[in-house]
Amino acid sequence: MNDTPPPVAKPPSATRRARGPRIVIALAVVVALALLFGLWGAWQAFSPTSGNPQRHLASQQTELDSLQQQVSTLTRSDQISRDANRELQGTLAERDEEIAALRADVAFYERFVGATAQRKGLTVHELRMQPRTDQGWHYTATLTQSLSREAASVGTMRLSVEGTRDGRLETLEWDQLRQRDDAARVAYSFKYFQQVEGDIVLPPGFQPLRVVVRLEPERGSAVERPFSWADVTPRSAPGA
């Protein structure tokens, strides 16, 4: 027969007292871990390290601002360069026109100067037409002669204009261009050259094609020279 006494059961109050410290310790550990994790997250978020996303974002924003400023500066510089180049091109074009005009003047005066100057009779060296109104035009004709340097060339000049109206060819004579009957011719008298000028009027609906200048000297035969309307008028003028 076994005489070992049966185990004595612990009272419930003693069991609860044993578990209490362990629960407290476990809670303390959990709280400590939570605090450590929070501190680690805050350190990752705000610490000045190269892997910090906020600092990296701020650096990229700064770089973007700098690049935008560079682009703005380069854009202004490019616009300034374009404006300067456009102004330079305009200046060069003006100088080219001045050079061309001077060369034309030199060629013109060479006809009358020096032993090698070509001797030519009375002629119309140049004709220019400038618009005044829709139908009004101002003409400037340059007359020259170098055949005889001792005697002056004296005579009169008149114009006629050839063109179309209502689909038909038509020639406007001097009286029609001056809008009066027996209109006086333009007198000239010169030894080497002379510019004569005046005004004419074209009728509505008339499309000019050619201008004929006729010189009638007191001595010698009449001289005529035709000019294309497009050659004697500005490019922007009507009918040019």
Side-chain angles (χ1 to χ4, degrees):
M1 186 171 179
N2 189 359
D3 294 332
T4 303
V8 178
K10 295 180 179 180
S13 59
T15 302
R16 287 195 295 268
R17 285 195 300 270
R19 291 178 179 176
R22 290 198 297 269
I23 294 175
V24 173
I25 293 173
L27 290 174
V29 171
V30 170
V31 172
L33 290 175
L35 290 174
L36 290 174
F37 183 78
L39 291 174
W40 179 82
W43 180 78
Q44 287 292 326
F46 299 103
S47 63
T49 60
S50 60
N52 186 350
Q54 291 188 352
R55 182 180 180 185
H56 186 63
L57 179 61
S59 176
Q60 288 184 332
Q61 183 63 44
T62 301
E63 185 177 358
L64 177 60
D65 293 341
S66 177
L67 291 175
Q68 288 178 338
Q69 181 63 33
Q70 293 179 23
V71 169
S72 178
T73 301
L74 291 175
T75 301
R76 288 196 299 269
S77 299
D78 180 67
Q79 184 62 42
I80 293 173
S81 299
R82 288 176 182 271
D83 293 341
N85 183 64
R86 187 161 43 250
E87 184 177 354
L88 177 60
Q89 292 296 329
T91 302
L92 291 177
E94 293 177 359
R95 295 297 178 267
D96 288 341
E97 292 179 359
E98 292 177 2
I99 291 174
L102 290 173
R103 286 177 176 173
D105 290 343
V106 170
F108 175 76
Y109 288 112
E110 280 181 347
R111 298 181 56 188
F112 311 103
V113 179
T116 60
Q118 297 180 356
R119 292 179 174 269
K120 294 184 179 180
L122 178 65
T123 187
V124 182
H125 176 74
E126 185 181 52
L127 176 67
R128 291 296 175 193
M129 307 289 297
Q130 294 291 335
R132 292 293 198 190
T133 62
D134 291 341
Q135 280 80 44
W137 291 82
H138 184 81
Y139 65 84
T140 303
T142 303
L143 314 180
T144 64
Q145 69 95 20
S146 58
L147 186 60
S148 175
R149 301 190 181 187
E150 300 298 330
S153 179
V154 180
T156 60
M157 184 201 79
R158 59 187 173 93
L159 307 179
S160 62
V161 180
E162 301 172 358
T164 61
R165 181 163 51 170
D166 297 329
R168 297 180 180 181
L169 293 175
E170 185 176 351
T171 299
L172 302 177
E173 299 296 343
W174 179 249
D175 292 346
Q176 295 172 284
L177 297 174
R178 295 289 294 171
Q179 294 186 325
R180 65 183 67 178
D181 295 334
D182 298 327
R185 278 46 170 173
V186 181
Y188 66 81
S189 176
F190 63 94
K191 187 175 181 180
Y192 296 108
F193 67 91
Q194 181 181 355
Q195 282 190 333
V196 293
E197 54 188 316
D199 297 292
I200 61 173
V201 178
L202 303 179
F206 183 82
Q207 297 295 324
L209 299 175
R210 194 170 74 152
V211 186
V212 179
V213 183
R214 180 178 177 84
L215 305 179
E216 298 177 348
E218 291 182 350
R219 295 191 301 270
S221 302
V223 176
E224 285 189 352
R225 182 179 176 185
F227 294 88
S228 169
W229 185 262
D231 292 338
V232 299
T233 54
R235 297 299 178 186
S236 59

